[in-house]
Amino acid sequence: MNSQTLVREAYEIVRRLRDNGYAGYLVGGYVRDTLLNREVKDVDIATSALPEQVMAIFPHTVPTGIKHGTVTVVMLHHAYEVTTFRKESGYRDRRRPNRVEFIAELREDLERRDFTINAMAMDAEGKLIDPFGGQADLRDGILRCVGDAERRFDEDALRMMRCIRFAGEYELQVERQTWEALMANRGKLKHIAMERIRGELERMLEGSHPYQALLLLSQSGLLSYTKAETGLQFTTGQVVQREQVLSVIAKLDDAWNKWALLLLTLKISPSSASQALRRLTFSRKNQDGICRIASFHEWLSGELELLNPRMEAALSGGKAADSMNRELATVWKKGALLHTPDIVRRWLSIYALLTAEALAADTVKPEISMLIERLVQNGQAWLDEIQAATLKDLAIGGSDLLALGAKPGPWVGRLLAQLQAEVVLGSLNNDRDELLRRSQQWIEEMIRYDE
Ligand code: ATP
Ligand code: MG
């Protein structure tokens, strides 16, 4: 994304509004992120022009949220949400105001916004308009509600989740009255749809400082007050104790891996995780992906615990490191077979980071951490050795088996899976003739057994 054209075109919109006799400002996240020298992802614009007036000025617009005063203005490179100044009243369900009133003044529009750092504007000349001291709060590292915090959280309970997200993301201290109001209003989180809770949690975990957000979440206890019970609760003690491991979440570049590391750090079992993610309305695909990493971890830990005493005995018996490694490789490849190479690779990227920071031992039983280190060293090479990672990669297919002369039946699929397992574990080569020979043998045994 080209942030230069993003900002240039936004100013162009604001000037065009002004040239047509309306007030127009850049608002919200753009102003905050610019003051922090952060990269800007989008620019929202507020104006005194009514939606139809905005649509009359710009040739290419989309009425995306007319009821709330929002028109999307499409420029050459980017699209912008241009929203008429408004105030909101009568928060019926503690989430959406039931009435939106368009107004002429910027100040009132800023007043309805949640936090002082989000309630600033810039005019067409780039001059800052900051009636609630957002810039000073940013400088002092403080997150504060605009106006009476108690009322603001009562109006819209989602703001409590946003509070924690912003405090985490920008490493801000939540101002005392804001925090007290949050604690007093926690129960109202039950009015918020789980999708929105999930959205905030995802942004916390995928943001710059997930540890800070998790710490505040634990201190607030907010997650105990969601509409659907997630079971995703953790104490401040747990979070603090695992600070270093949880800080690694920020260094992972994939959302599934981040969630998986969170779950395994907090020792949440795959089945509880599955329930929590379902209640949080994660898509089927994301639930599965995240839980499969957690399941693989659980399976692998169990296998390593079984393997470990034998490894130690082998070591003290002076057995070659080679044969130890072979056994470990077999467990690993079996993991790829049962849990798919993709999931195994994801686990590997999590543990490569943990191992690099000498933290792997904090997440598993101490006796198996040596084995984990070996896996991190060799896991990728062992995955590369796998000749038939999927059934499709097998050198023969179902029609080859049928050509051997036996009647079609469920045995075809079973035999293919068996062959793949033997290839993955290295007892057969992925070689057409070798596989056909082995199949012939198997079919003969089957026929003999049938007779
Ligand atoms: P980011 O997009 O980086 O999360 P943002 O500040 O742009 O941050 P948005 O959710 O895009 O956040 O909202 C844009 C602006 O609208 C905010 O800066 C804030 O002024 C206002 N706003 C958004 N949600 C609320 C809310 N629930 N209550 C009050 N004001 C809100
Ligand atoms: Mg935004």
Side-chain angles (χ1 to χ4, degrees):
M1 151 117 37
N2 185 336
S3 70
Q4 241 176 350
T5 57
L6 182 69
V7 175
R8 201 184 60 226
E9 287 182 343
Y11 274 103
E12 215 172 294
I13 294 176
V14 169
R15 277 196 303 271
R16 286 264 279 287
L17 287 165
R18 186 190 56 188
D19 296 345
N20 282 273
Y22 303 106
Y25 297 89
L26 297 85
V27 289
Y30 164 77
V31 182
R32 178 194 68 222
D33 290 342
T34 302
L35 292 178
L36 288 171
N37 280 320
R38 279 218 183 193
E39 197 199 345
V40 185
K41 292 158 284 156
D42 59 10
V43 184
D44 294 320
I45 293 165
T47 180
S48 60
L50 294 169
E52 51 278 19
Q53 293 168 327
V54 173
M55 295 177 78
I57 296 173
F58 297 95
H60 192 174
T61 57
V62 186
T64 35
I66 286 281
K67 264 206 313 219
H68 300 102
T70 303
V71 171
T72 298
V73 173
V74 184
M75 301 291 277
L76 191 58
H77 301 284
H78 306 277
Y80 300 81
E81 294 206 334
V82 177
T83 305
T84 307
F85 295 154
R86 60 181 203 211
K87 72 180 184 197
E88 293 158 356
S89 47
Y91 283 82
R92 181 191 49 227
D93 51 6
R94 296 210 159 66
R95 171 54 215 156
R96 279 176 222 291
N98 45 23
R99 213 155 47 82
V100 181
E101 191 183 322
F102 296 138
I103 52 180
E105 295 301 322
L106 171 69
R107 194 196 143 95
E108 255 187 298
D109 181 84
L110 294 178
E111 205 169 348
R112 71 164 169 95
R113 295 171 186 269
D114 45 9
F115 304 103
T116 62
I117 63 164
N118 289 343
M120 298 181 276
M122 273 182 190
D123 71 10
E125 269 70 51
K127 190 173 124 267
L128 182 70
I129 293 112
D130 177 19
F132 308 104
Q135 188 176 28
D137 281 347
L138 262 191
R139 186 196 55 219
D140 301 339
I142 289 172
L143 185 65
R144 185 196 315 265
C145 280
V146 172
D148 177 27
E150 186 78 40
R151 218 187 86 209
R152 305 316 306 278
F153 290 141
D154 179 62
E155 284 169 356
D156 177 359
L158 186 71
R159 289 175 185 153
M160 297 188 280
M161 290 294 284
R162 287 172 60 87
C163 178
I164 288 179
R165 167 159 69 89
F166 287 116
E169 183 61 29
Y170 299 100
E171 297 180 280
L172 306 173
Q173 181 82 35
V174 181
E175 176 266 340
R176 199 169 58 91
Q177 284 181 3
T178 298
W179 184 256
E180 282 171 1
L182 185 150
M183 296 303 271
N185 284 276
R186 295 183 294 186
K188 292 170 186 155
L189 202 64
K190 67 171 183 285
H191 300 292
I192 301 299
M194 292 305 282
E195 284 85 342
R196 296 187 161 269
I197 304 284
R198 167 172 52 79
E200 291 298 325
L201 285 177
E202 287 183 292
R203 294 173 80 173
M204 288 178 202
L205 213 65
E206 289 164 39
S208 327
H209 304 286
Y211 172 76
Q212 260 82 356
L214 291 167
L215 183 64
L216 287 169
L217 270 179
S218 71
Q219 288 167 339
S220 70
L222 265 181
L223 288 183
S224 318
Y225 296 91
T226 51
K227 183 190 295 240
E229 206 174 304
T230 63
L232 200 66
Q233 280 132 26
F234 33 88
T235 64
T236 303
Q238 286 173 306
V239 174
V240 171
Q241 197 194 356
R242 301 181 173 106
E243 170 170 6
Q244 286 185 298
V245 177
L246 292 171
S247 300
V248 171
I249 294 175
K251 299 180 185 169
L252 289 166
D253 52 19
D254 177 273
W256 286 4
N257 297 359
K258 287 172 192 272
W259 279 94
L261 178 54
L262 174 69
L263 296 171
L264 64 92
T265 307
L266 296 174
K267 308 240 183 309
I268 295 171
S269 73
S271 62
S272 318
S274 166
Q275 169 169 312
L277 298 177
R278 195 174 57 245
R279 301 247 163 103
L280 282 166
T281 73
F282 273 87
S283 72
R284 234 5 245 251
K285 186 165 170 245
N286 291 341
Q287 285 174 41
D288 280 0
I290 296 164
C291 288
R292 279 164 57 202
I293 305 172
S295 300
F296 172 64
H297 178 74
E298 191 177 68
W299 175 87
L300 182 66
S301 307
E303 292 289 311
L304 297 182
E305 279 163 36
L306 286 176
L307 191 59
N308 188 54
R310 296 220 311 281
M311 286 279 180
E312 282 179 351
L315 259 183
S316 59
K319 215 168 150 193
D322 271 12
S323 78
M324 282 181 41
N325 262 348
R326 258 199 307 281
E327 284 204 57
L328 189 57
T330 303
V331 166
W332 182 246
K333 289 173 181 179
K334 204 161 122 197
L337 192 65
L338 295 172
H339 298 262
T340 76
D342 174 55
I343 294 298
V344 172
R345 219 170 282 119
R346 287 170 173 280
W347 182 93
L348 190 59
S349 59
I350 298 172
Y351 271 86
L353 261 181
L354 289 175
T355 303
E357 311 217 356
L359 293 168
D362 294 9
T363 63
V364 292
K365 296 219 174 110
E367 61 268 24
I368 66 171
S369 61
M370 192 265 287
L371 294 178
I372 296 230
E373 268 175 47
R374 271 173 196 268
L375 287 177
V376 166
Q377 266 166 28
N378 302 300
Q380 187 55 50
W382 289 339
L383 284 177
D384 293 342
E385 277 171 21
I386 293 178
Q387 295 178 35
T390 70
L391 273 184
K392 277 206 272 343
D393 303 323
L394 208 58
I396 64 171
S399 53
D400 298 304
L401 293 184
L402 291 175
L404 293 175
K407 281 199 300 270
W411 64 272
V412 177
R414 252 183 271 141
L415 179 50
L416 284 175
Q418 170 70 21
L419 292 171
Q420 190 210 356
E422 291 184 29
V423 169
V424 168
L425 299 176
S427 57
L428 268 182
N429 286 309
N430 193 22
D431 171 84
R432 212 181 137 73
D433 290 340
E434 200 173 325
L435 293 177
L436 286 174
R437 257 197 317 276
R438 175 82 180 87
S439 305
Q440 186 69 51
Q441 219 178 18
W442 198 86
I443 290 171
E444 277 163 19
E445 275 168 29
M446 180 174 75
I447 291 170
R448 215 174 309 130
Y449 183 81
D450 272 357
E451 286 165 353

